[in-house]
């Protein structure tokens, strides 16, 4: 469709006006007209305490960390209970904003919520962009085998053995580097089924996944044969520079660790203390 010359002129004038306004704007302005400093103030400790609400970004579909029992009812889970206990220490209520993982960091940057509570692992790429609390989950990778397996007690022992792994996971790469023959599966449920049936020798996964499975199933006939030396550290995430809120959350976590609350919540979900 062709545009008329008058329409083009109007568009050109509007564009020129926009550029002129942009030239006068502060360098810290964002495209939506709000400054990064303004967003920090809106999500600062003082603003949260004044409003009486800590707004938390989480998936709500990530069992056992953040989910709805049977898909309905109030949100619950390990992360949900810990951040709720933190909010109580801060003297505020907690409000959950359920967000898909792909959009959760963008939501934090936009100021939609004050903190992310969703088992976010600390790594160099993320610490360059965001601030983290102290870890509230410490979880190594583990080799899971049947109880009667005496052939595997280290990652070196995986050489020549068959493991069941999702091809898109970090655990696939670790198993392959250890010399294992990898049977491709879609996830933990399929991997553990093959292991229980004796069709593979082992599976490599996150310790939390195994502990949750054991907690749900009881005696599984499986055991941990070995674990990685460098565990994953998971923590709450804040916008870069939101230091007062981060420090207040760290203080709350220290208090909750000291009074046994963190260990109690962890034992409820995993039958073990995974908080340190």
């Amino acid at each position: 469709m062709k545009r008329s010359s008058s329409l083009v002129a109007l568009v050109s004038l509007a564009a020129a006006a926009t550029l002129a306004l942009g030239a006068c704007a502060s360098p810290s302005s964002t495209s939506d007209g709000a400054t990064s400093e303004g967003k920090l103030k809106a999500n600062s400790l003082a603003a949260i305490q004044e409003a009486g609400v800590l707004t938390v970004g989480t998936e709500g579909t990530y069992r056992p960390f953040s989910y709805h029992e049977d898909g309905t009812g109030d949100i619950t889970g390990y992360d949900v209970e810990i951040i709720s206990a933190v909010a109580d220490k801060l003297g505020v209520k907690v409000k959950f904003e359920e967000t898909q993982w792909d959009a959760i960091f963008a939501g934090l940057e936009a100021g939609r919520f004050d903190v992310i509570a969703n088992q976010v692992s600390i790594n160099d790429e993320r610490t360059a962009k965001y601030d983290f609390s102290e870890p509230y989950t410490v979880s190594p990778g583990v080799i899971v085998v049947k109880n009667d397996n005496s052939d595997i007690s280290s990652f070196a022992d995986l050489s020549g053995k068959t493991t069941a792994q999702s091809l898109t996971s970090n655990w696939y790469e670790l198993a392959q580097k250890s010399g294992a023959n990898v049977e491709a599966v879609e996830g933990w449920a399929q991997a553990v089924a093959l292991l229980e049936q004796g069709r593979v020798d082992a599976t490599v996964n996150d310790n939390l996944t195994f502990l949750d499975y054991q907690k749900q199933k009881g005696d599984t006939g499986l055991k941990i044969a070995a674990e990685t030396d460098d565990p994953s550290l998971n923590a709450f995430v804040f916008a870069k520079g939101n230091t007062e809120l981060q420090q207040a959350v760290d203080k709350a976590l220290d208090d909750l660790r000291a009074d046994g609350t963190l260990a109690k919540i962890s034992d409820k979900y995993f039958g073990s203390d995974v908080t340190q």
Side-chain angles (χ1 to χ4, degrees), residues 60-164:
T61 56
Y62 188 19
R63 188 184 184 100
F65 306 105
S66 165
Y67 66 100
H68 296 267
E69 195 69 59
D70 300 323
T72 60
D74 293 337
I75 192 169
T76 189
Y78 172 74
D79 286 51
V80 169
E81 289 202 27
I82 290 183
I83 196 63
S84 295
V86 166
D88 188 56
K89 287 288 185 183
L90 297 180
V92 298
K93 295 180 180 179
V94 63
K95 175 185 176 185
F96 292 99
E97 288 283 349
E98 295 182 40
T99 307
Q100 291 182 343
W101 173 256
D102 291 345
I104 205 163
F105 290 98
L108 180 69
E109 291 169 6
R112 283 183 50 215
F113 29 81
D114 309 308
V115 58
I116 297 172
N118 205 83
Q119 283 298 296
V120 182
S121 298
I122 302 172
N123 61 33
D124 291 341
E125 181 182 357
R126 289 174 181 158
T127 54
K129 296 180 180 179
Y130 311 101
D131 287 339
F132 283 81
S133 71
E134 64 181 48
Y136 62 92
T137 311
V138 179
S139 181
V142 295
I143 302 173
V144 180
V145 299
K146 297 184 78 171
N147 280 340
D148 59 1
N149 186 309
S150 58
D151 296 331
I152 300 173
S153 59
S154 69
F155 281 86
D157 292 336
L158 289 179
S159 181
K161 303 294 195 300
T162 302
T163 71

Side-chain angles (χ1 to χ4, degrees), residues 30 35-45 104-111 113-116 122-133 236-247:
T30 59
T35 64
S36 57
E37 183 180 354
K39 287 178 181 177
L40 271 180
K41 284 183 179 178
N43 300 96
S44 69
L45 177 62
I104 205 163
F105 290 98
L108 180 69
E109 291 169 6
F113 29 81
D114 309 308
V115 58
I116 297 172
I122 302 172
N123 61 33
D124 291 341
E125 181 182 357
R126 289 174 181 158
T127 54
K129 296 180 180 179
Y130 311 101
D131 287 339
F132 283 81
S133 71
F236 300 124
V237 192
F238 311 90
K240 200 72 174 174
N242 204 348
T243 307
E244 288 186 0
L245 178 58
Q246 175 213 336
Q247 291 176 345

Side-chain angles (χ1 to χ4, degrees), residues 198-221:
R199 295 167 59 185
V200 298
D201 301 302
T203 184
V204 181
N205 214 292
D206 186 274
N207 184 48
L208 294 180
T209 302
F210 175 68
L211 291 177
D212 176 53
Y213 182 72
Q214 247 189 347
K215 183 75 173 176
Q216 298 299 321
K217 299 292 184 180
D219 184 11
T220 60

